[in-house]
mmCIF file with all atom_site columns, all heavy atoms in Angstrom:
data_model
loop_
_atom_site.group_PDB
_atom_site.id
_atom_site.type_symbol
_atom_site.label_atom_id
_atom_site.label_alt_id
_atom_site.label_comp_id
_atom_site.label_asym_id
_atom_site.label_entity_id
_atom_site.label_seq_id
_atom_site.pdbx_PDB_ins_code
_atom_site.Cartn_x
_atom_site.Cartn_y
_atom_site.Cartn_z
_atom_site.occupancy
_atom_site.B_iso_or_equiv
_atom_site.pdbx_formal_charge
_atom_site.auth_seq_id
_atom_site.auth_comp_id
_atom_site.auth_asym_id
_atom_site.auth_atom_id
_atom_site.pdbx_PDB_model_num
ATOM 1  N N   . GLN A 1 327 ? -5.551  33.634 -35.989 1.00 0.00 ? 587 GLN A N   1
ATOM 2  C CA  . GLN A 1 327 ? -5.724  32.280 -36.495 1.00 0.00 ? 587 GLN A CA  1
ATOM 3  C C   . GLN A 1 327 ? -4.745  31.295 -35.853 1.00 0.00 ? 587 GLN A C   1
ATOM 4  O O   . GLN A 1 327 ? -5.087  30.134 -35.597 1.00 0.00 ? 587 GLN A O   1
ATOM 5  C CB  . GLN A 1 327 ? -5.557  32.274 -38.012 1.00 0.00 ? 587 GLN A CB  1
ATOM 6  C CG  . GLN A 1 327 ? -5.981  30.969 -38.673 1.00 0.00 ? 587 GLN A CG  1
ATOM 7  C CD  . GLN A 1 327 ? -5.860  31.034 -40.174 1.00 0.00 ? 587 GLN A CD  1
ATOM 8  O OE1 . GLN A 1 327 ? -4.758  31.040 -40.721 1.00 0.00 ? 587 GLN A OE1 1
ATOM 9  N NE2 . GLN A 1 327 ? -6.991  31.100 -40.855 1.00 0.00 ? 587 GLN A NE2 1
ATOM 10 N N   . LYS A 1 328 ? -3.515  31.759 -35.548 1.00 0.00 ? 588 LYS A N   1
ATOM 11 C CA  . LYS A 1 328 ? -2.533  30.868 -34.915 1.00 0.00 ? 588 LYS A CA  1
ATOM 12 C C   . LYS A 1 328 ? -3.045  30.357 -33.575 1.00 0.00 ? 588 LYS A C   1
ATOM 13 O O   . LYS A 1 328 ? -2.880  29.185 -33.235 1.00 0.00 ? 588 LYS A O   1
ATOM 14 C CB  . LYS A 1 328 ? -1.202  31.602 -34.727 1.00 0.00 ? 588 LYS A CB  1
ATOM 15 C CG  . LYS A 1 328 ? -0.375  31.755 -35.987 1.00 0.00 ? 588 LYS A CG  1
ATOM 16 C CD  . LYS A 1 328 ? 0.972   32.376 -35.675 1.00 0.00 ? 588 LYS A CD  1
ATOM 17 C CE  . LYS A 1 328 ? 1.835   32.511 -36.928 1.00 0.00 ? 588 LYS A CE  1
ATOM 18 N NZ  . LYS A 1 328 ? 3.154   33.126 -36.624 1.00 0.00 ? 588 LYS A NZ  1
ATOM 19 N N   . THR A 1 329 ? -3.671  31.249 -32.804 1.00 0.00 ? 589 THR A N   1
ATOM 20 C CA  . THR A 1 329 ? -4.179  30.868 -31.479 1.00 0.00 ? 589 THR A CA  1
ATOM 21 C C   . THR A 1 329 ? -5.281  29.826 -31.598 1.00 0.00 ? 589 THR A C   1
ATOM 22 O O   . THR A 1 329 ? -5.272  28.801 -30.900 1.00 0.00 ? 589 THR A O   1
ATOM 23 C CB  . THR A 1 329 ? -4.711  32.109 -30.732 1.00 0.00 ? 589 THR A CB  1
ATOM 24 O OG1 . THR A 1 329 ? -3.633  33.027 -30.532 1.00 0.00 ? 589 THR A OG1 1
ATOM 25 C CG2 . THR A 1 329 ? -5.289  31.719 -29.382 1.00 0.00 ? 589 THR A CG2 1
ATOM 26 N N   . THR A 1 330 ? -6.240  30.073 -32.471 1.00 0.00 ? 590 THR A N   1
ATOM 27 C CA  . THR A 1 330 ? -7.355  29.134 -32.602 1.00 0.00 ? 590 THR A CA  1
ATOM 28 C C   . THR A 1 330 ? -6.894  27.804 -33.188 1.00 0.00 ? 590 THR A C   1
ATOM 29 O O   . THR A 1 330 ? -7.353  26.749 -32.763 1.00 0.00 ? 590 THR A O   1
ATOM 30 C CB  . THR A 1 330 ? -8.477  29.728 -33.475 1.00 0.00 ? 590 THR A CB  1
ATOM 31 O OG1 . THR A 1 330 ? -7.947  30.101 -34.747 1.00 0.00 ? 590 THR A OG1 1
ATOM 32 C CG2 . THR A 1 330 ? -9.087  30.942 -32.809 1.00 0.00 ? 590 THR A CG2 1
ATOM 33 N N   . HIS A 1 331 ? -5.975  27.844 -34.150 1.00 0.00 ? 591 HIS A N   1
ATOM 34 C CA  . HIS A 1 331 ? -5.492  26.594 -34.745 1.00 0.00 ? 591 HIS A CA  1
ATOM 35 C C   . HIS A 1 331 ? -4.676  25.783 -33.742 1.00 0.00 ? 591 HIS A C   1
ATOM 36 O O   . HIS A 1 331 ? -4.803  24.549 -33.686 1.00 0.00 ? 591 HIS A O   1
ATOM 37 C CB  . HIS A 1 331 ? -4.660  26.890 -35.996 1.00 0.00 ? 591 HIS A CB  1
ATOM 38 C CG  . HIS A 1 331 ? -5.506  27.150 -37.208 1.00 0.00 ? 591 HIS A CG  1
ATOM 39 N ND1 . HIS A 1 331 ? -5.125  26.806 -38.477 1.00 0.00 ? 591 HIS A ND1 1
ATOM 40 C CD2 . HIS A 1 331 ? -6.735  27.720 -37.332 1.00 0.00 ? 591 HIS A CD2 1
ATOM 41 C CE1 . HIS A 1 331 ? -6.060  27.143 -39.343 1.00 0.00 ? 591 HIS A CE1 1
ATOM 42 N NE2 . HIS A 1 331 ? -7.044  27.716 -38.667 1.00 0.00 ? 591 HIS A NE2 1
ATOM 43 N N   . ARG A 1 332 ? -3.843  26.458 -32.949 1.00 0.00 ? 592 ARG A N   1
ATOM 44 C CA  . ARG A 1 332 ? -3.054  25.738 -31.946 1.00 0.00 ? 592 ARG A CA  1
ATOM 45 C C   . ARG A 1 332 ? -3.975  25.084 -30.915 1.00 0.00 ? 592 ARG A C   1
ATOM 46 O O   . ARG A 1 332 ? -3.792  23.915 -30.561 1.00 0.00 ? 592 ARG A O   1
ATOM 47 C CB  . ARG A 1 332 ? -2.079  26.696 -31.259 1.00 0.00 ? 592 ARG A CB  1
ATOM 48 C CG  . ARG A 1 332 ? -1.166  26.006 -30.238 1.00 0.00 ? 592 ARG A CG  1
ATOM 49 C CD  . ARG A 1 332 ? -0.087  26.936 -29.718 1.00 0.00 ? 592 ARG A CD  1
ATOM 50 N NE  . ARG A 1 332 ? -0.636  28.113 -29.053 1.00 0.00 ? 592 ARG A NE  1
ATOM 51 C CZ  . ARG A 1 332 ? -0.563  29.340 -29.550 1.00 0.00 ? 592 ARG A CZ  1
ATOM 52 N NH1 . ARG A 1 332 ? 0.028   29.553 -30.721 1.00 0.00 ? 592 ARG A NH1 1
ATOM 53 N NH2 . ARG A 1 332 ? -1.069  30.350 -28.881 1.00 0.00 ? 592 ARG A NH2 1
ATOM 54 N N   . TYR A 1 333 ? -4.951  25.839 -30.446 1.00 0.00 ? 593 TYR A N   1
ATOM 55 C CA  . TYR A 1 333 ? -5.888  25.270 -29.471 1.00 0.00 ? 593 TYR A CA  1
ATOM 56 C C   . TYR A 1 333 ? -6.715  24.154 -30.113 1.00 0.00 ? 593 TYR A C   1
ATOM 57 O O   . TYR A 1 333 ? -6.983  23.123 -29.487 1.00 0.00 ? 593 TYR A O   1
ATOM 58 C CB  . TYR A 1 333 ? -6.816  26.363 -28.934 1.00 0.00 ? 593 TYR A CB  1
ATOM 59 C CG  . TYR A 1 333 ? -7.675  25.900 -27.783 1.00 0.00 ? 593 TYR A CG  1
ATOM 60 C CD1 . TYR A 1 333 ? -7.182  25.871 -26.489 1.00 0.00 ? 593 TYR A CD1 1
ATOM 61 C CD2 . TYR A 1 333 ? -8.982  25.477 -27.989 1.00 0.00 ? 593 TYR A CD2 1
ATOM 62 C CE1 . TYR A 1 333 ? -7.957  25.429 -25.432 1.00 0.00 ? 593 TYR A CE1 1
ATOM 63 C CE2 . TYR A 1 333 ? -9.775  25.037 -26.945 1.00 0.00 ? 593 TYR A CE2 1
ATOM 64 C CZ  . TYR A 1 333 ? -9.257  25.021 -25.666 1.00 0.00 ? 593 TYR A CZ  1
ATOM 65 O OH  . TYR A 1 333 ? -10.037 24.573 -24.624 1.00 0.00 ? 593 TYR A OH  1
ATOM 66 N N   . GLY A 1 334 ? -7.095  24.355 -31.387 1.00 0.00 ? 594 GLY A N   1
ATOM 67 C CA  . GLY A 1 334 ? -7.863  23.320 -32.086 1.00 0.00 ? 594 GLY A CA  1
ATOM 68 C C   . GLY A 1 334 ? -7.094  22.015 -32.182 1.00 0.00 ? 594 GLY A C   1
ATOM 69 O O   . GLY A 1 334 ? -7.667  20.933 -32.003 1.00 0.00 ? 594 GLY A O   1
ATOM 70 N N   . ARG A 1 335 ? -5.796  22.096 -32.445 1.00 0.00 ? 595 ARG A N   1
ATOM 71 C CA  . ARG A 1 335 ? -4.983  20.872 -32.514 1.00 0.00 ? 595 ARG A CA  1
ATOM 72 C C   . ARG A 1 335 ? -4.911  20.189 -31.152 1.00 0.00 ? 595 ARG A C   1
ATOM 73 O O   . ARG A 1 335 ? -4.931  18.953 -31.057 1.00 0.00 ? 595 ARG A O   1
ATOM 74 C CB  . ARG A 1 335 ? -3.585  21.206 -33.027 1.00 0.00 ? 595 ARG A CB  1
ATOM 75 C CG  . ARG A 1 335 ? -3.528  21.547 -34.524 1.00 0.00 ? 595 ARG A CG  1
ATOM 76 C CD  . ARG A 1 335 ? -2.102  21.567 -35.043 1.00 0.00 ? 595 ARG A CD  1
ATOM 77 N NE  . ARG A 1 335 ? -1.304  22.609 -34.410 1.00 0.00 ? 595 ARG A NE  1
ATOM 78 C CZ  . ARG A 1 335 ? -1.207  23.851 -34.869 1.00 0.00 ? 595 ARG A CZ  1
ATOM 79 N NH1 . ARG A 1 335 ? -1.869  24.196 -35.971 1.00 0.00 ? 595 ARG A NH1 1
ATOM 80 N NH2 . ARG A 1 335 ? -0.446  24.746 -34.258 1.00 0.00 ? 595 ARG A NH2 1
ATOM 81 N N   . GLU A 1 336 ? -4.819  20.986 -30.093 1.00 0.00 ? 596 GLU A N   1
ATOM 82 C CA  . GLU A 1 336 ? -4.806  20.415 -28.744 1.00 0.00 ? 596 GLU A CA  1
ATOM 83 C C   . GLU A 1 336 ? -6.128  19.698 -28.457 1.00 0.00 ? 596 GLU A C   1
ATOM 84 O O   . GLU A 1 336 ? -6.148  18.610 -27.868 1.00 0.00 ? 596 GLU A O   1
ATOM 85 C CB  . GLU A 1 336 ? -4.568  21.511 -27.706 1.00 0.00 ? 596 GLU A CB  1
ATOM 86 C CG  . GLU A 1 336 ? -3.166  22.102 -27.718 1.00 0.00 ? 596 GLU A CG  1
ATOM 87 C CD  . GLU A 1 336 ? -3.027  23.280 -26.773 1.00 0.00 ? 596 GLU A CD  1
ATOM 88 O OE1 . GLU A 1 336 ? -4.057  23.866 -26.387 1.00 0.00 ? 596 GLU A OE1 1
ATOM 89 O OE2 . GLU A 1 336 ? -1.875  23.620 -26.426 1.00 0.00 ? 596 GLU A OE2 1
ATOM 90 N N   . VAL A 1 337 ? -7.230  20.311 -28.883 1.00 0.00 ? 597 VAL A N   1
ATOM 91 C CA  . VAL A 1 337 ? -8.546  19.693 -28.674 1.00 0.00 ? 597 VAL A CA  1
ATOM 92 C C   . VAL A 1 337 ? -8.648  18.377 -29.434 1.00 0.00 ? 597 VAL A C   1
ATOM 93 O O   . VAL A 1 337 ? -9.174  17.387 -28.910 1.00 0.00 ? 597 VAL A O   1
ATOM 94 C CB  . VAL A 1 337 ? -9.666  20.660 -29.108 1.00 0.00 ? 597 VAL A CB  1
ATOM 95 C CG1 . VAL A 1 337 ? -11.012 19.936 -29.177 1.00 0.00 ? 597 VAL A CG1 1
ATOM 96 C CG2 . VAL A 1 337 ? -9.768  21.826 -28.118 1.00 0.00 ? 597 VAL A CG2 1
#
Side-chain angles (χ1 to χ4, degrees):
Q587 191 177 72
K588 283 185 179 180
T589 298
T590 56
H591 279 213
R592 183 172 60 250
Y593 188 82
R595 287 193 296 271
E596 290 174 341
V597 168

